[in-house]
Amino acid sequence: MTGDERTTEVEPTLRSYGISVEAVEGGDPLDLTYMTAFPGREVHHGEIGRALNALLDRAEADAWDPVRVEATVVRSPGDVLGTWHAKATWFEALLSYEISETEFSTRVLETLTHADEPADADGSVADRSAADGEPADAGDEA
């Protein structure tokens, strides 16, 4: 199976995991845009987890070669809620039992940005939990 065939099968797999794929472009990175089923203020962590599990299951079945995944989450077409990414090396480390599922999830969630978050003076996105004075929810995992 060629790399192109592997990529074309990613979309139906994501859909079978409940991800409403708007666009997926193969290659490295794999660019994924999906419409959230939870159009609130923040990207739903469980939805990220379902997308990652779809990709991990394909990789475990030797049906997808891990590459960097760049995901854009939209509320509706053109209305970006947030973005996240996962590095190929993180997939590989998890699949070879070098890191735990919790560590993998933590790494991905640390990349999560929300479109309505204010940027710091250096251009980075501010930590919403710190800005709101509320602790982050430790139970949220991808």
Side-chain angles (χ1 to χ4, degrees), residues 8-63:
T8 59
E9 292 303 313
V10 167
E11 182 174 351
T13 300
L14 287 163
R15 288 186 184 282
S16 75
Y17 279 72
I19 303 301
S20 180
V21 176
E22 292 291 301
V24 63
E25 294 181 28
D28 190 359
L30 181 123
D31 288 313
L32 168 64
T33 301
Y34 66 91
M35 188 174 305
T36 184
F38 307 94
R41 278 190 355 177
E42 298 182 353
V43 175
H44 191 267
H45 295 181
E47 205 166 44
I48 295 171
R50 285 197 311 276
L52 292 169
N53 283 330
L55 296 171
L56 285 163
D57 286 351
R58 289 194 57 75
E60 285 178 332
D62 198 30

Side-chain angles (χ1 to χ4, degrees), residues 34-124:
Y34 66 91
M35 188 174 305
T36 184
F38 307 94
R41 278 190 355 177
E42 298 182 353
V43 175
H44 191 267
H45 295 181
E47 205 166 44
I48 295 171
R50 285 197 311 276
L52 292 169
N53 283 330
L55 296 171
L56 285 163
D57 286 351
R58 289 194 57 75
E60 285 178 332
D62 198 30
W64 180 69
D65 298 320
V67 295
R68 181 182 177 99
V69 175
E70 294 282 343
T72 302
V73 185
V74 297
R75 292 180 187 99
S76 60
D79 181 11
V80 175
L81 176 60
T83 62
W84 56 267
H85 72 263
K87 294 181 179 180
T89 55
W90 300 347
F91 284 104
E92 293 161 358
L94 178 59
L95 292 167
S96 63
Y97 303 101
E98 294 171 21
I99 64 173
S100 68
E101 290 177 2
T102 300
E103 176 64 20
F104 179 79
S105 296
T106 299
R107 290 179 184 188
V108 173
L109 289 177
E110 287 175 348
T111 73
L112 180 59
T113 62
H114 295 94
D116 60 352
E117 286 183 338
D120 287 340
D122 65 0
S124 64

